[in-house]
Amino acid sequence: MGDIHFDFNNMTVLNLLNMYEKGALNLDPGFQRKEVWGPRDRQRLIVSILNKYPLPSIFLYRKQENTGDLVHYVLDGKQRLESILMFTGYIQGKDKGFSVKWGPDDSSEEQVDWKVLNKRGQQYMLTGYKLPIIEVEADFADVIQIFVNINSTGKHLTKTEIAHAKSYRSTLLQAANKLCKRYETYFAELAILTPAQISRMKDLELLCEL
């Protein structure tokens, strides 16, 4: 590996929302995997934030583009950031604008969403939450290896996801990815693959083999 530099700091959810809105936060670099969290996972995360529970660090690859813009590519923490962006309505998706069961104590729990928090003036409980951030500066090849290493815990990367991360620039994988997007509904409707298998890139594996 070459020179790798890590910066440890904290960013509020509001900072990250602003970065995303300005195009300075990329959740889907080519080496990333698909969504692997379900609605319950996303709800648990938002409740943890509202309860001020600590969360694991988010890894961001900091890169200056040819345009001179600084962009942060998500290495680890995509599902967490995606859930926050869905809850606040910043990105589209089947779970966009979902609600959670939450209250100051167990006896006062109720279903709340982003609109309810804003109406009550409680949005700061989410936007003011500080997430631990680790910014990485390294050669691209080293960044890919870091991505594979740090995603070896939790919902482990499958062999296909690892191969995709390391070789995502190949013309074969790019062509297969396009076909996956086109036939994702077809695979699910005919029960060729389950939604869970599709989320773990089994459709990519199948098309590459074919």
Side-chain angles (χ1 to χ4, degrees):
M1 282 193 174
D3 291 335
I4 302 175
H5 183 70
F6 297 96
D7 279 339
F8 298 80
N9 53 64
N10 294 303
M11 289 187 189
T12 64
V13 167
L14 182 59
N15 291 149
L16 292 162
L17 292 177
N18 288 336
M19 285 172 63
Y20 180 80
E21 196 169 29
K22 293 175 182 177
L25 182 65
N26 189 330
L27 271 69
D28 292 303
F31 53 80
Q32 260 292 1
R33 53 175 156 177
K34 297 181 181 180
E35 297 175 16
V36 294
W37 275 20
R40 193 168 296 180
D41 297 311
R42 301 191 190 284
Q43 290 166 347
R44 287 196 189 106
L45 175 87
I46 299 301
V47 169
S48 293
I49 291 175
L50 294 176
N51 286 332
K52 301 180 182 179
Y53 296 159
L55 295 176
S57 296
I58 288 174
F59 282 74
L60 301 177
Y61 167 42
R62 186 170 59 203
K63 182 176 182 294
Q64 185 174 338
E65 302 290 5
N66 295 332
T67 58
D69 295 326
L70 189 64
V71 178
H72 292 75
Y73 295 88
V74 179
L75 294 177
D76 186 54
K78 173 185 175 179
Q79 312 300 324
R80 278 165 275 160
L81 291 173
E82 204 168 51
S83 298
I84 292 168
L85 290 163
M86 284 182 176
F87 182 76
T88 53
Y90 273 73
I91 61 175
Q92 300 293 327
K94 60 184 179 181
D95 297 328
K96 178 187 174 184
F98 62 89
S99 64
V100 299
K101 191 175 182 180
W102 175 78
D105 54 68
D106 293 342
S107 62
S108 60
E109 284 186 344
E110 59 180 316
Q111 290 295 133
V112 297
D113 59 16
W114 183 235
K115 289 181 180 178
V116 169
L117 290 180
N118 277 274
K119 186 176 180 180
R120 295 177 179 175
Q122 294 178 316
Q123 68 273 21
Y124 70 91
M125 299 185 70
L126 186 77
T127 57
Y129 182 88
K130 291 183 178 180
L131 286 159
I133 303 292
I134 300 176
E135 293 181 87
V136 182
E137 286 189 72
D139 291 336
F140 186 75
D142 293 333
V143 167
I144 296 299
Q145 189 57 51
I146 292 169
F147 168 76
V148 172
N149 289 345
I150 62 181
N151 281 281
S152 295
T153 58
K155 294 194 176 184
H156 293 194
L157 292 172
T158 64
K159 289 181 180 179
T160 304
E161 288 169 338
I162 292 173
H164 176 261
K166 291 184 174 180
S167 308
Y168 82 94
R169 288 176 172 174
S170 78
T171 53
L172 171 64
L173 282 176
Q174 288 174 359
N177 265 318
K178 288 180 181 178
L179 287 173
C180 286
K181 290 177 182 177
R182 185 185 302 173
Y183 291 106
E184 182 175 322
T185 303
Y186 174 81
F187 287 146
E189 288 179 348
L190 293 186
I192 296 171
L193 295 168
T194 66
Q197 288 175 318
I198 292 173
S199 74
R200 302 315 302 271
M201 292 188 172
K202 288 296 183 181
D203 52 343
L204 181 63
E205 184 179 337
L206 173 62
L207 287 172
C208 284
E209 288 177 355
L210 291 174

